[in-house]
Amino acid sequence: MPRFGGIATFMRLPGRSDPADLDVAVVGVPLDIGTSNRPGARFGPRGIRDESVLLRPYNMATRAAPFDSLRIDDIGDVATNPYNLTDAVARIEARYRELTAHGLITVTMGGDHTVVLPVLRAMAAVHGPVGLVHVDAHTDINDAMFGEKIAHGTPFRRAVEEGLLDGPRVVQIGVRGTGYAADDFDWSRRQGFRVVQAEECWHRSLAPLMEEVRAQIGAGPVYLSFDIDGLDPAYAPGTGTPEVGGLTTAQALEIIRGCRGLELVGCDLVEVAPIYDTTGATSLTAANLLYEMICVLPGVEYRS
Ligand code: MN
Ligand code: MN
């Protein structure tokens, strides 16, 4: 079948596996009723799957061969609720608790960033508080938005309150832009997070930063959450809350490849909104970043 034919699963995986038989499950979470500005991330999983058909199984930069050593499949989408965010979050948590009960690693295609809260609840239920590599233009630590405790700008505040995160093992990379108050990012720092603002990343390789991040996080379970708006809108315009002065695609690759060796228990790529992505470049980038995440999961073999 040519690449452009057939039903689009992530990287043209079979899409027929029982999660009990897998090491890694690629999961779509179509949801955007947690967004505060432009909606559209409900179409993220479909957009990413469409563009991912171009991807081939071997990583020519790192020689990773993830499909040779791990059982990986696209297991489809979580049935969310487009009318009720609280119910949608409960549905996501229930599905991820089923998946983590099998001991597998989840690779999530969002959906807006609200989806990380129920995923982290399921992760922490199995692993206890986890470390976190969080790439984003925003810290997503608001206490409330329009009085709502659950929204795409609040998940990491809730995660701290619920004891899901190991604060000194958390790093937030790429945050920038305008805030509601000048000390907006300092709440993160008070939790022990390392906050790396985008300006610290400009004009340089992030490989040295990731060396420090690996030392900071060390051993123990860690989750990788990548909001596509961490990238500059020049590279990823298809998202709801873009901010100028962001990371490059090459820096995104350095961050993800720099996670090799960490005990990753799950990862996500969120906030892709294909309706603003006129060329498909945002979804294509997201698909590649998800592939790169799969390439650094524990148990992946590397060819010489
Ligand atoms: Mn976010
Ligand atoms: Mn963001």
Side-chain angles (χ1 to χ4, degrees):
M1 180 65 71
R3 296 192 170 276
F4 45 83
I7 296 167
T9 59
F10 184 74
M11 290 186 71
R12 310 202 300 164
L13 288 163
R16 291 185 294 270
S17 300
D18 182 332
D21 301 328
L22 294 176
D23 301 306
V24 177
V26 181
V27 192
V29 186
L31 176 88
D32 62 12
I33 57 174
T35 54
S36 54
N37 189 42
R38 306 191 296 195
R42 68 180 60 185
F43 302 113
R46 285 202 173 176
I48 293 167
R49 285 190 179 102
D50 270 354
E51 297 299 331
S52 76
V53 300
L54 184 58
L55 299 186
R56 305 163 194 94
Y58 293 93
N59 190 317
M60 302 312 289
T62 68
R63 299 196 178 227
F67 301 101
D68 289 4
S69 51
L70 295 176
R71 299 167 298 170
I72 306 170
D73 203 0
D74 180 345
I75 62 162
D77 290 344
V78 179
T80 54
N81 180 340
Y83 298 111
N84 185 323
L85 184 56
T86 306
D87 182 53
V89 164
R91 287 164 174 252
I92 297 163
E93 182 179 342
R95 180 63 173 143
Y96 276 76
R97 280 177 180 270
E98 288 173 11
L99 296 173
T100 52
H102 295 299
L104 51 70
I105 295 173
T106 56
V107 177
T108 298
M109 303 180 280
D112 73 53
H113 223 154
T114 313
V115 308
V116 77
L117 178 62
V119 173
L120 285 173
R121 285 173 177 163
M123 295 291 148
V126 172
H127 303 286
V130 296
L132 173 71
V133 177
H134 172 208
V135 184
D136 203 323
H138 315 96
T139 47
D140 293 349
I141 52 162
N142 291 295
D143 182 35
M145 302 177 84
F146 284 81
E148 300 295 331
K149 291 285 194 178
I150 303 294
H152 80 152
T154 67
F156 299 108
R157 171 82 66 135
R158 296 290 90 77
V160 167
E161 290 170 351
E162 296 179 21
L164 312 179
L165 295 177
D166 183 1
R169 296 177 61 241
V170 174
V171 59
Q172 298 185 297
I173 304 171
V175 299
R176 61 187 188 272
T178 48
Y180 297 103
D183 63 352
D184 270 0
F185 299 159
D186 293 344
W187 186 89
S188 284
R189 296 183 170 109
R190 287 197 294 275
Q191 313 314 310
F193 298 3
R194 178 171 182 188
V195 179
V196 182
Q197 297 191 214
E199 288 77 5
E200 297 173 58
C201 303
W202 287 356
H203 317 301
R204 64 181 60 167
S205 165
L206 298 188
L209 168 69
M210 293 311 295
E211 230 172 277
E212 295 173 10
V213 167
R214 288 194 301 276
Q216 175 196 346
I217 290 177
V222 55
Y223 188 84
L224 169 59
S225 188
F226 201 118
D227 183 328
I228 197 71
D229 71 29
L231 291 183
D232 192 87
Y235 301 97
T239 194
T241 324
E243 305 284 354
V244 303
L247 305 177
T248 67
T249 303
Q251 289 175 319
L253 294 172
E254 288 176 327
I255 291 170
I256 296 171
R257 290 174 186 170
C259 289
R260 181 175 169 185
L262 294 176
E263 290 176 34
L264 288 167
V265 293
C267 51
D268 66 51
L269 192 298
V270 298
E271 298 282 358
V272 171
I275 51 179
Y276 317 110
D277 191 25
T278 53
T279 66
T282 310
S283 290
L284 177 67
T285 301
N288 275 275
L289 297 182
L290 283 158
Y291 169 71
E292 293 281 343
M293 291 178 195
I294 290 170
C295 287
V296 295
L297 294 179
V300 168
E301 285 177 9
Y302 292 79
R303 298 282 167 250
S304 55

